[in-house]
Amino acid sequence: RKRIAIFASGSGSNFQAIVDAQRRGEIDAEIALLVCDKPQAKVVERAEQAGVKAFTFRPKDYPSREAYEAMLVQVLEEHRIDLIVLAGYMRLITRVLLEPYEGRIINIHPSLLPSFPGVEGIGDAYRYGVKVTGVTVHYVDDGMDTGPIIAQVPVSIEPQDTLETLAEKIHAAEHALYPKVIQWICEGRVRLDGRRVLIDGLS
Ligand code: GAR
């Protein structure tokens, strides 16, 4: 069984959806660790409630991103982590973390990449006025939301949608998609062909 670390910075609704799916038997892996860069974040409470070990740190306590990532690599190795799942972890990742976990870090982003990368994916799509946006799960590389795309689902923006109703629809789509993709990876069904990601048994 793979051992998963979830990285999150905020509310942790995706963390919760993944843990709930795992408890229902829909993810055949161990959620071994939460890593959080904001000790006050709600996701830390969720981890305590769920009985998932939480590791928190303050980036400001380290001289550089590389320095805290080197520390994180040690923590991940201690916990024998196989897969890193970014779920609202609002920080760029450097080579220090990427190299040892090459091909084993995934992220969820609340837009149809490559449209609307960055920290405001939902609002940027809403204000731009697109009629369809959505959710993307992708491998992480050293760019911002640029890695190979594993799965996407569309979410339509209706005339009556507000930013709030759109955000609700996006989050519901995330909570349905992310556990499914994690399980595909745990089943060993996800492969890279250049930038294209192929999923065995799908299509
Ligand atoms: C999610 O919508 C996720 O897609 C987004 O942060 C939110 C975290 O919510 N991530 C990004 O925007 C990454 N650039 P959560 O803490 O409730 O899971």
Side-chain angles (χ1 to χ4, degrees), residues 81-100:
I81 296 302
D82 304 298
L83 177 68
I84 298 174
V85 170
L86 307 185
Y89 180 69
M90 294 311 215
R91 300 190 157 267
L92 279 175
I93 302 277
T94 77
R95 311 169 57 79
V96 172
L97 193 55
L98 278 169
E99 268 171 14

Side-chain angles (χ1 to χ4, degrees), residues 10-15 87-90 107-110 118-122 145 170-171 174-175:
S11 136
S13 70
N14 280 284
F15 169 86
Y89 180 69
M90 294 311 215
N107 181 44
I108 191 159
H109 183 77
V119 297
E120 267 279 358
I122 303 172
D145 304 323
I170 292 281
H171 290 131
E174 290 186 320
H175 301 162

Side-chain angles (χ1 to χ4, degrees), residues 5-203:
I6 300 176
F7 282 40
S9 304
S11 136
S13 70
N14 280 284
F15 169 86
Q16 192 72 57
I18 295 162
V19 167
D20 291 348
Q22 194 270 354
R23 304 286 195 252
R24 289 194 302 266
E26 294 165 15
I27 295 175
D28 182 23
E30 184 152 347
I31 315 294
L33 190 65
L34 167 74
V35 173
C36 181
D37 60 322
K38 295 226 168 71
Q40 312 299 335
K42 175 155 178 217
V43 69
V44 177
E45 276 169 50
R46 291 185 191 266
E48 277 162 17
Q49 290 280 329
V52 172
K53 179 163 182 185
F55 177 84
T56 62
F57 69 101
R58 286 184 189 76
K60 286 195 175 71
D61 294 345
Y62 297 83
S64 66
R65 201 153 62 193
E66 285 78 7
Y68 70 68
E69 285 192 355
M71 173 280 296
L72 289 178
V73 168
Q74 278 210 330
V75 171
L76 295 166
E77 283 173 355
E78 277 162 22
H79 288 83
R80 307 187 316 283
I81 296 302
D82 304 298
L83 177 68
I84 298 174
V85 170
L86 307 185
Y89 180 69
M90 294 311 215
R91 300 190 157 267
L92 279 175
I93 302 277
T94 77
R95 311 169 57 79
V96 172
L97 193 55
L98 278 169
E99 268 171 14
Y101 290 93
E102 163 103 74
R104 299 190 294 157
I105 311 183
I106 61 174
N107 181 44
I108 191 159
H109 183 77
S111 76
L112 292 178
L113 292 172
S115 289
F116 312 114
V119 297
E120 267 279 358
I122 303 172
D124 289 346
Y126 183 81
R127 287 183 290 272
Y128 191 96
V130 294
K131 303 304 186 194
V132 181
T133 182
V135 171
T136 302
V137 177
H138 63 93
Y139 284 111
V140 174
D141 64 13
D142 57 6
M144 173 141 81
D145 304 323
T146 52
I149 290 171
I150 305 170
Q152 294 185 300
V153 292
V155 171
S156 63
I157 303 180
E158 307 296 340
Q160 65 272 21
D161 268 319
T162 62
L163 185 53
E164 290 67 37
T165 62
L166 176 61
E168 281 171 28
K169 290 198 276 185
I170 292 281
H171 290 131
E174 290 186 320
H175 301 162
L177 181 65
Y178 216 1
K180 211 161 63 174
V181 172
I182 292 167
Q183 176 61 5
W184 292 341
I185 292 172
C186 291
E187 291 169 344
R189 290 167 57 192
V190 180
R191 322 179 260 125
L192 261 181
D193 172 23
R195 254 203 78 89
R196 299 183 65 234
V197 177
L198 305 176
I199 298 161
D200 293 333
L202 221 72
S203 75

